[in-house]
Amino acid sequence: MRLSHSLIPTLKETPAEAQIASHRLMLRAGLVRQMASGIYAWLPAGLKVLNKIAEIVRQEQDACGAQEMLMPTIQSADLWRESGRYDAYGKEMLRITDRHERELLFGPTNEEMITAILRDATKSYRGLPQVVYHIQWKFRDEVRPRFGVLRGREFLMKDAYSFDLDYEGAYLNYRKMMLAYMRTFQRMGITAIPMRADTGQIGGDLSHEFHILAPTGESGVFYDSDFESGDALGTGYDLASIDAFYQANTSKYAATDEKHDVAAWARVPDARKREGRGIEVGQIFYFGKKYSESMGFGVVGPDGEKLFPEMGSYGIGVSRLVGAIIEAKHDEAGIIWPDAIAPFRVSLLNLRQGDASTDAICADVENRLGAECLYDDREERAGAKFAEADLMGNPWQIIVGPRGAANGQVELKRRATGERSELSLEDALAKVINKALG
Ligand code: 5CA
């Protein structure tokens, strides 16, 4: 993509409305624009990141055996009356009336809808267990939307739902999902810590939140420093791996401040005690029969008896992750994208636009890297191009100037470390491609 003709409206000034780094940088790097309070348009570079994050989430959900589907954003109020949550949800729910005076709402989550779908489709215990998910926009009329996409009103969520015949099955799916989440976040290049948490609006008594550590986080958190190292997580979902992972992660102590347990905290060695702030990028819940019973979803069991499935639900804030990752990965100059989710693998800087040799090299690089290359082909000073590339934060910069070009050399810069080296175009490309794939 050529910068001169792309909708990446970067800003030199710091936008006054943005209080935290990620919000400022998302506006300055031209990733999003606010359309109404807590409602954002995703511009091309922002959408690329959002899609890459969603794709990693999708692959890891598929790998743990969840089936992708897609439920609508608009739901009927009657569905929510069945569970009793239509009134309980309060003002955070955006309520809509259609032309026939029928009451609808913009879904803040989908427990009711998925329970109704399963109730219709599954009559026998033989049809369970089932785990399904979708990646869909949600709306919550937050009192104070703030920090850009971190607390929006419209936001993209991955929500998964599990249905099991008994507690053991539900607990297995809960632990499996926790492992899938840790693999998901690790692939994005971030460390997220699973913490015991309250269940709030969703209900139930077992829940973990996943937090990225950042001083601007909205939640106070307590954790064991062991979590900072990011263990190897393997790939399979055999029972032994799930058990070992869950044991290792729940034997250390980590909790949000609502769940802070003084006795458990006392058992963590002093040198490993950490207190800080976290951004919640995901939350998982086990809530048993809360929805299956209230909504009358029973299946016929092996002996003809009626069984109400045990349920769990599992959310990841896909759009929130974009802001949260920037909050954890930036410096004075701009964003530092992890390789796996950067909008482009490479920023290509032509330091003398219109020079036959630099133009030719850049055209060649652009052809070979395709969609992963953002080519700064503007008639701009070198300094302006450097600043813009650092702001946007793509992991590699290939810098093509007339002196190097005459000797077939380019400069390669790694955004995260600032490390620069001069090398042949072939060597630079090999490095960029191998690193990104490896
Ligand atoms: N039904 C359950 C699990 S699917 C549920 O709704 N869980 S949740 O309320 O915890 O939301 C899941 C994730 O969505 C959160 O962990 C958070 O990362 C994200 N999220 C929640 N509210 C917002 C918001 N206002 N803006 C951006 N992301 C949000």
Side-chain angles (χ1 to χ4, degrees):
M1 191 185 279
R2 295 199 167 198
L3 201 49
S4 60
H5 290 87
S6 52
L7 183 58
I8 306 183
T10 55
L11 304 172
K12 289 202 176 53
E13 329 72 52
T14 300
E17 74 269 29
Q19 301 161 23
I20 60 169
S22 60
H23 190 193
R24 280 197 291 276
L25 289 169
M26 286 186 76
L27 294 171
R28 285 195 55 212
L31 304 183
V32 291
R33 285 294 181 265
Q34 184 176 297
M35 298 291 104
S37 170
I39 300 178
Y40 289 85
W42 292 80
L43 304 186
L47 183 62
K48 278 176 182 286
V49 178
L50 192 67
N51 284 341
K52 285 187 178 181
I53 290 177
E55 187 51 30
I56 292 176
V57 169
R58 176 177 285 118
Q59 286 174 7
E60 293 300 327
Q61 290 292 294
D62 291 347
C64 81
Q67 314 159 71
E68 184 169 16
M69 61 183 293
L70 186 60
M71 290 179 266
T73 54
I74 305 294
Q75 308 189 19
S76 97
D78 285 342
L79 201 52
W80 285 66
R81 290 202 174 93
E82 290 188 43
S83 71
R85 277 210 297 181
Y86 189 62
D87 294 322
Y89 217 93
K91 290 197 160 181
E92 246 178 49
M93 179 182 279
L94 179 65
R95 295 156 207 260
I96 306 164
T97 308
D98 73 9
R99 67 201 298 166
H100 304 293
E101 299 295 318
R102 277 189 286 255
E103 291 170 281
L104 301 170
L105 57 102
F106 196 119
T109 176
N110 285 59
E111 279 81 4
E112 284 77 0
M113 188 177 277
I114 193 64
T115 303
I117 292 171
L118 267 281
R119 180 176 64 192
D120 186 50
T122 308
K123 306 291 181 196
S124 152
Y125 74 97
R126 288 193 195 85
L128 296 181
Q130 290 267 4
V131 186
V132 292
Y133 75 97
H134 72 161
I135 299 176
Q136 178 62 292
W137 294 91
K138 305 290 188 289
F139 195 96
R140 293 183 187 173
D141 203 352
E142 302 273 352
V143 201
R144 274 186 71 205
R146 58 183 187 153
F147 302 154
V149 301
L150 286 185
R151 184 164 295 281
R153 293 198 296 165
E154 188 186 55
F155 59 95
L156 188 60
M157 192 202 286
K158 182 287 296 181
D159 36 327
Y161 303 88
S162 66
F163 296 82
D164 278 274
L165 284 173
D166 51 26
Y167 173 76
E168 285 65 36
Y171 189 50
L172 176 63
N173 270 323
Y174 184 92
R175 288 174 294 161
K176 207 169 168 180
M177 204 47 96
M178 186 189 264
L179 177 53
Y181 274 35
M182 295 302 279
R183 288 177 179 160
T184 303
F185 298 129
Q186 195 167 67
R187 276 186 62 189
M188 291 175 194
I190 52 175
T191 306
I193 302 181
M195 309 201 174
R196 285 299 305 266
D198 269 344
T199 54
Q201 297 273 25
I202 311 293
D205 51 16
L206 175 60
S207 178
H208 283 84
E209 288 177 2
F210 297 78
H211 283 264
I212 295 184
L213 300 170
T216 45
E218 289 191 292
S219 322
V221 296
F222 297 84
Y223 65 97
D224 183 325
S225 63
D226 259 15
F227 280 109
E228 288 164 350
S229 52
D231 299 334
L233 294 170
T235 52
Y237 282 99
D238 54 288
L239 204 51
S241 316
I242 295 171
D243 263 344
F245 157 78
Y246 194 74
Q247 275 305 318
N249 275 276
T250 49
S251 60
K252 299 178 241 179
Y253 182 73
T256 60
D257 49 11
E258 300 100 10
K259 281 278 174 191
H260 185 55
D261 171 338
V262 177
W265 188 236
R267 289 194 293 274
V268 178
D270 278 349
R272 291 193 349 221
K273 282 193 173 98
R274 298 282 186 278
E275 283 178 46
R277 306 206 62 82
I279 303 174
E280 178 207 319
V281 290
Q283 186 166 7
I284 58 177
F285 304 82
Y286 159 74
F287 43 72
K289 300 175 179 174
K290 174 174 169 173
Y291 298 91
S292 54
E293 273 180 352
S294 63
M295 295 182 63
F297 169 32
V299 296
V300 179
D303 303 317
E305 75 283 28
K306 196 170 193 179
L307 294 174
F308 292 100
E310 295 268 349
M311 290 176 60
S313 74
Y314 314 90
I316 290 183
V318 176
S319 52
R320 175 178 286 184
L321 268 165
V322 180
I325 292 171
I326 297 175
E327 209 52 55
K329 307 266 176 195
H330 70 272
D331 62 14
E332 241 88 283
I335 303 170
I336 304 175
W337 287 116
D339 291 277
I341 59 160
F344 301 89
R345 192 177 294 172
V346 175
S347 279
L348 172 63
L349 281 62
N350 187 341
L351 298 190
R352 189 166 304 158
Q353 207 64 43
D355 176 286
S357 62
T358 61
D359 286 4
I361 291 183
C362 288
D364 185 24
V365 174
E366 189 187 21
N367 271 334
R368 288 161 70 179
L369 291 175
E372 287 295 330
C373 176
L374 179 64
Y375 177 15
D376 190 343
D377 62 335
R378 299 166 308 156
E379 307 275 344
E380 278 279 1
R381 290 176 302 109
K385 293 195 178 191
F386 292 141
E388 190 119 329
D390 280 354
L391 170 65
M392 290 190 220
N394 293 315
W396 297 99
Q397 297 172 16
I398 296 181
I399 301 158
V400 185
R403 246 195 319 273
N407 311 314
Q409 300 280 102
V410 299
E411 205 178 346
L412 181 67
K413 175 175 161 182
R414 181 79 175 149
R415 173 65 179 90
T417 58
E419 207 178 303
R420 301 164 79 120
S421 47
E422 275 206 30
L423 62 190
S424 72
L425 176 60
E426 295 310 317
D427 288 349
L429 285 174
K431 233 174 157 168
V432 161
I433 292 166
N434 287 339
K435 177 72 186 177
L437 298 179

